[in-house]
Amino acid sequence: MMGKTDSIAVYKHLLENAPSEFNSSVPRFAVFGKDHTFYLGIGGVVKTTVSYDFGHVMDNPNEFLTSSIPAAQRRGDGGLVQFSAQQTSLFLNFVGLPGSDNQFSAFIGANLLGDDYAPALQYAYMKYRGFKIGYDKTLFADPASTPPTIDYEGPNASSAVGNAVLDYSVDFGKKKEWSAGVGIELPMYSVTDAHGAGAYKVNQRVPDIPAFIKWSWDEGSSWLRFSAVMRNMLYHDPVADKNIDKVGWGIQLSGSAAITPWLTAYYQGLYGKGIASYIQDLTGCGMDMLPSSGSANILNTVKAYGAYGGLQFNICPKVFATATYSHVRTYADKCAMPAEDNQYRYAQYAVGNVFWDINTLLQAGVEYIYGRRVNYDGSQAHDSRLQMMLQLSF
């Protein structure tokens, strides 16, 4: 039999092993081994959404990416209704030898965001003595500082992007109010080259190196986190016939604060050079480096920043609302802008929502999102989305 004390221990160990950004990672079903030498939690979320876009609409019911707002649109296509259950997810949470010096753990999670509802991996990592190896959000990111949204992506300035990681972190201080970490991670590298007429991207040799230090108070419900990442990026200069090194870097300040029992703030600001792949809205957009305006055989790192701020208001024990504004901007003044591309300059993202916990398993929500993208050639477009959600967590 598992008593109350056992249940608390199971909850604590599984919570510590779960990703920090969503509490539903702690399952309601758990299997415990002989003499409590391991715990296996099984859980998930069934999430359905219906949405209506108006403006320059995006054909994506799950991810409101301001970088994907189309600049051009056919007359008559200014509205779009969409349904989805692709954010449905399932996870396994395993902890072995809990509470001992040799405690080890693993977490696997997937949703249905692949093509035609194919499973897509979200997490697959192992932990031992402060080390984490596998696939998770980059150590540079602070996913728990992201305000709740129905939108799967959330604020466009978020750095909560997935990566292959080998990280180490440790808690310290009298009340374990401090934590710090460092890692080596797969280089995330997205470049717009000269389309075969000049410098081009080559295979990377050096991993990205993220690090952080964090201070928490109010028993961990509030915190301030400083993060940094250093990058070495290679490209080939065909005239000099050699590979050229460019250094990329980024810094970030993030956190959350319980201002009152009914009001919580979320915040993040980041800035860097060659850092676009670490900004959610710019991942894969080719803006870590761009061709120089003076020579197609030179690639320049692009400066960028992103910031968001959000407030969560607890209306009553079962209802809460959030409002968030997010902004991303790039500085590519010394780079050549390909004539055929409407190159991203900056984008704005604003969201407001209300969530209702119908019971301990079922949650409903309604949300409005506004997004606007502006390009270097002066063109711009916006999209608005009104959506509703019903979610069952188990």
Side-chain angles (χ1 to χ4, degrees):
M1 284 290 288
M2 179 180 286
K4 182 177 180 180
T5 302
D6 298 320
S7 297
I8 293 173
V10 170
Y11 180 87
K12 177 178 179 290
H13 292 305
L14 294 177
L15 178 62
E16 289 175 347
N17 185 50
S20 62
E21 60 267 32
F22 55 97
N23 292 329
S24 58
S25 298
V26 182
R28 298 180 182 275
F29 305 103
V31 178
F32 62 102
K34 185 178 180 181
D35 300 323
H36 296 187
T37 55
F38 72 83
Y39 300 136
L40 175 64
I42 304 170
V45 170
V46 179
K47 182 176 178 180
T48 60
T49 63
V50 56
S51 61
Y52 181 75
D53 282 39
F54 49 99
H56 284 225
V57 302
M58 287 180 284
D59 186 11
N60 186 334
N62 302 295
E63 300 165 308
F64 193 94
L65 288 165
T66 51
S67 60
S68 297
I69 297 175
Q73 186 167 258
R74 297 182 309 177
R75 292 182 63 84
D77 277 345
L80 177 65
V81 63
Q82 300 179 90
F83 290 78
S84 178
Q86 287 183 278
Q87 295 183 53
T88 295
S89 62
L90 183 67
F91 64 84
L92 300 175
N93 190 343
F94 174 83
V95 178
L97 302 178
S100 72
D101 291 339
N102 288 313
Q103 177 176 316
F104 59 96
S105 57
F107 190 95
I108 301 173
N111 56 29
L112 303 177
L113 286 173
D115 294 338
D116 298 322
Y117 281 78
L121 186 70
Q122 291 176 285
Y123 308 95
Y125 60 75
M126 298 177 289
K127 290 182 179 180
Y128 180 70
R129 290 181 177 266
F131 288 94
K132 179 191 290 184
I133 185 170
Y135 185 81
D136 192 12
K137 298 295 189 295
T138 171
L139 191 72
F140 179 68
D142 184 10
S145 70
T146 306
T149 59
I150 296 173
D151 175 32
Y152 182 77
E153 286 295 315
N156 63 346
S158 172
S159 59
V161 294
N163 199 8
V165 306
L166 174 54
D167 300 331
Y168 176 78
S169 59
V170 61
D171 299 329
F172 58 98
K174 290 184 179 179
K175 297 181 179 180
K176 301 296 184 182
E177 70 272 24
W178 289 92
S179 59
V182 65
I184 54 174
E185 300 183 354
L186 184 72
M188 293 193 291
Y189 184 35
S190 181
V191 173
T192 299
D193 58 27
H195 302 285
Y200 55 87
K201 173 183 174 180
V202 296
N203 295 330
Q204 300 303 291
R205 276 73 159 171
V206 180
D208 291 356
I209 303 174
F212 80 91
I213 186 165
K214 176 182 175 183
W215 173 57
S216 304
W217 65 96
D218 288 343
E219 299 181 345
S221 63
S222 301
W223 68 93
L224 188 64
R225 188 182 195 267
F226 176 76
S227 310
V229 64
M230 184 66 68
R231 319 184 63 197
N232 180 272
M233 296 182 289
L234 282 178
Y235 71 89
H236 190 77
D237 181 342
V239 174
D241 193 25
K242 64 178 182 179
N243 290 345
I244 306 296
D245 288 270
K246 288 282 189 176
V247 175
W249 56 270
I251 55 175
Q252 176 177 276
L253 194 65
S254 61
S256 177
I259 301 171
T260 71
W262 45 268
L263 187 64
T264 302
Y266 300 90
Y267 43 85
Q268 177 193 286
L270 67 88
Y271 176 79
K273 198 172 182 180
I275 196 68
S277 289
Y278 282 85
I279 300 175
Q280 195 160 253
D281 206 30
L282 299 178
T283 302
C285 288
M287 294 200 73
D288 286 323
M289 293 200 293
L290 289 169
S292 168
S293 57
S295 171
N297 297 307
I298 298 174
L299 296 181
N300 289 331
T301 52
V302 178
K303 292 180 182 179
Y305 83 79
Y308 65 73
L311 291 173
Q312 177 176 317
F313 179 72
N314 298 320
I315 301 170
C316 66
K318 290 191 175 184
V319 180
F320 68 90
T322 73
T324 303
Y325 174 77
S326 180
H327 187 97
V328 173
R329 183 177 291 265
T330 66
Y331 297 89
D333 301 333
K334 296 181 180 180
C335 301
M337 297 299 162
E340 67 274 19
D341 292 339
N342 297 317
Q343 194 65 263
Y344 179 113
R345 185 170 190 173
Y346 69 87
Q348 299 166 297
Y349 175 103
V351 58
N353 50 46
V354 178
F355 292 92
W356 173 33
D357 294 326
I358 301 171
N359 54 45
T360 57
L361 299 177
L362 198 61
Q363 184 184 62
V366 61
E367 180 170 271
Y368 171 74
I369 312 173
Y370 172 82
R372 176 173 174 255
R373 169 180 168 160
V374 178
N375 302 318
Y376 276 94
D377 64 4
S379 62
Q380 58 180 288
H382 73 273
D383 187 19
S384 291
R385 174 170 296 176
L386 182 62
Q387 61 182 347
M388 294 181 290
M389 172 205 80
L390 187 63
Q391 175 177 290
L392 176 68
S393 300
F394 59 91

